[in-house]
Amino acid sequence: MQDLRVAVIPGDGVGPEVVSASLPVLRAAAARAGARLDPVEFDWGGERYLRTGRAMPADGAEILRGFPAVLFGAVGRPDVPDHELVWGLIIGVRQALDLAVNVRPVQSWAGVRTVLREPDGVDLVIVRENTEGEYVGVGGRAHAATAHELGIEVAVHSRTAILRAARYAFDLARSRRGRVSLVTKSNALRHGYTLWDAVVAEVAAAYPDVECEQVLVDAMAVRLVQQPRDLDVLLCSNLFGDILSDLAAVLAGGMGMAPSANLLPDGDAPALFEPVHGSAPDIAGRGVANPVACMLSGAMLLDHVGLPVAGRIVRDAVATALRDPARHTPDLGGSATTKELAAEILAVVESSTAP
């Protein structure tokens, strides 16, 4: 049996709850595919920050390089400034490991209510550039506490970063329905987003079998609500991808249904997989967090490390469990607990046979 060591960072808020609910499911699915999942847990996050002044060790990114993949829970707690934890942990890891692309699949699930009148048939992926844009950290504050106080946030867009994200998006579209929608704002932002338009046009020319369109970000927000079934792969800058993926998650039933991957295409860095929902401090400790986003992130992890059969088993088990409204957690309109939904999904996995 293949041994698979993965790093696990439960983090803050509901992170430890959804991670602990997901690991037995991922372990059982891996076993069905002939692998033994060996999670190595790290106590990085808000509690560590309060103890030591750092959310993770100075060499945290180098520690993670010893693993093929990382399962991450959530970051953020009310008693620590958000920027200290976000930059000190998740964005810090993304940038230190050069995890150039963030991948956020969105699909509808039978039996899960959404804001759509007819919820079935949504199947799209948001590919988000993950290291630059408004999140690169360039800028500053000046004239503090005066009438002339300034906050300067510089967005940085490079040809290299755009190329990496674009090529990944077009390759992904080739394996799906063959359509890429570049989300831009070059009508008003004349430098960074005209560069996006030009670079993506060059990439599109090398993929004649993939349709490519440019859509302004405000227009794409409308299309996500009105015509989500017409969309395949959305290619976005860091900021646009962050915002639109939260909007798109509603089409799948909410943030508790939204997985993601952070990866370096064709690179040697470990990929990091995390639910999109964040730490949700308002429900932390109540045992009602939806573990599905974390499980689906784990399924993406299993795909990434060469166990697609195990990934498929997790997704099939999630689909089976969610057909029963009695298993739905409160965010899905039900009353099931985290443990109850996780136990049902685990039971389906354990009764499955590898395809």
Side-chain angles (χ1 to χ4, degrees):
M1 182 173 282
Q2 172 190 353
D3 285 322
L4 176 62
R5 291 178 75 245
V6 298
V8 176
I9 306 172
D12 305 317
V14 298
E17 299 173 47
V18 297
V19 167
S20 65
S22 299
L23 284 175
V25 170
L26 303 181
R27 190 179 290 114
R32 292 292 182 275
R36 182 182 295 107
L37 189 67
D38 178 18
V40 180
E41 189 168 315
F42 296 94
D43 69 338
W44 301 350
E47 287 191 14
R48 190 183 193 284
Y49 177 87
L50 293 173
R51 291 197 319 268
T52 69
R54 296 186 67 105
M56 68 176 180
D59 62 346
E62 292 307 309
I63 292 171
L64 296 180
R65 287 189 186 276
F67 298 86
V70 183
L71 182 66
F72 185 87
V75 63
R77 50 185 292 164
D79 52 352
V80 179
D82 280 343
H83 66 275
E84 294 285 358
L85 292 181
V86 171
W87 278 95
L89 187 50
I90 187 62
I91 291 181
V93 168
R94 287 173 181 167
Q95 294 193 349
L97 297 178
D98 197 24
L99 299 179
V101 176
N102 184 267
V103 183
R104 298 190 173 189
V106 178
Q107 70 175 87
S108 53
W109 298 83
V112 175
R113 296 186 311 176
T114 76
V115 297
L116 297 176
R117 188 174 292 110
E118 298 176 1
D120 296 339
V122 174
D123 180 13
L124 60 93
V125 180
I126 294 177
V127 174
R128 167 189 173 195
E129 195 287 313
N130 209 32
T131 60
E132 292 189 344
E134 290 76 8
Y135 296 12
V136 78
V138 176
R141 297 273 291 273
H143 308 298
T146 75
H148 305 289
E149 188 167 9
L150 298 174
I152 302 168
E153 206 80 57
V154 179
V156 176
H157 304 279
S158 71
R159 172 175 287 270
T160 297
I162 297 167
L163 277 172
R164 294 190 300 187
R167 287 170 178 157
Y168 184 91
F170 277 79
D171 285 336
L172 180 62
R174 264 185 176 166
S175 69
R176 291 172 49 86
R177 301 194 302 280
R179 299 199 302 274
V180 170
S181 301
L182 169 63
V183 179
T184 184
K185 193 58 180 173
S186 50
N187 62 332
L189 303 175
R190 299 179 298 162
H191 306 300
Y193 285 98
T194 55
L195 178 61
W196 269 88
D197 293 354
V199 173
V200 173
E202 294 172 14
V203 174
Y207 292 79
D209 53 326
V210 176
E211 297 177 23
C212 182
E213 62 173 348
Q214 290 183 12
V215 184
L216 297 178
V217 63
D218 37 350
M220 181 56 76
V222 174
R223 282 181 60 182
L224 274 170
V225 174
Q226 292 184 336
Q227 299 170 297
R229 297 171 191 82
D230 295 341
L231 298 168
D232 186 14
V233 176
L234 278 61
L235 173 58
C236 304
S237 67
N238 208 335
L239 178 63
F240 293 169
D242 189 7
I243 296 170
L244 291 180
S245 60
D246 282 14
L247 171 60
V250 176
L251 307 176
M255 298 296 284
M257 302 295 297
S260 75
N262 303 267
L263 49 88
L264 177 60
D266 302 320
D268 58 358
L272 185 147
F273 301 84
E274 58 173 325
V276 173
H277 54 58
S279 60
D282 56 322
I283 61 169
R286 293 170 50 191
V288 296
N290 186 346
V292 166
C294 190
M295 292 182 186
L296 294 176
S297 299
M300 296 175 76
L301 182 154
L302 294 171
D303 293 340
H304 179 78
V305 298
L307 296 173
V309 168
R312 194 178 316 125
I313 288 172
V314 173
R315 284 185 282 269
D316 288 347
V318 166
T320 298
L322 289 177
R323 290 191 185 100
D324 182 357
R327 307 297 181 186
H328 291 184
T329 44
D331 61 304
L332 301 180
S335 59
T337 66
T338 306
K339 290 182 178 179
E340 288 169 344
L341 176 54
E344 178 64 18
I345 294 171
L346 178 60
V348 176
V349 170
E350 290 180 334
S351 66
S352 68
T353 57

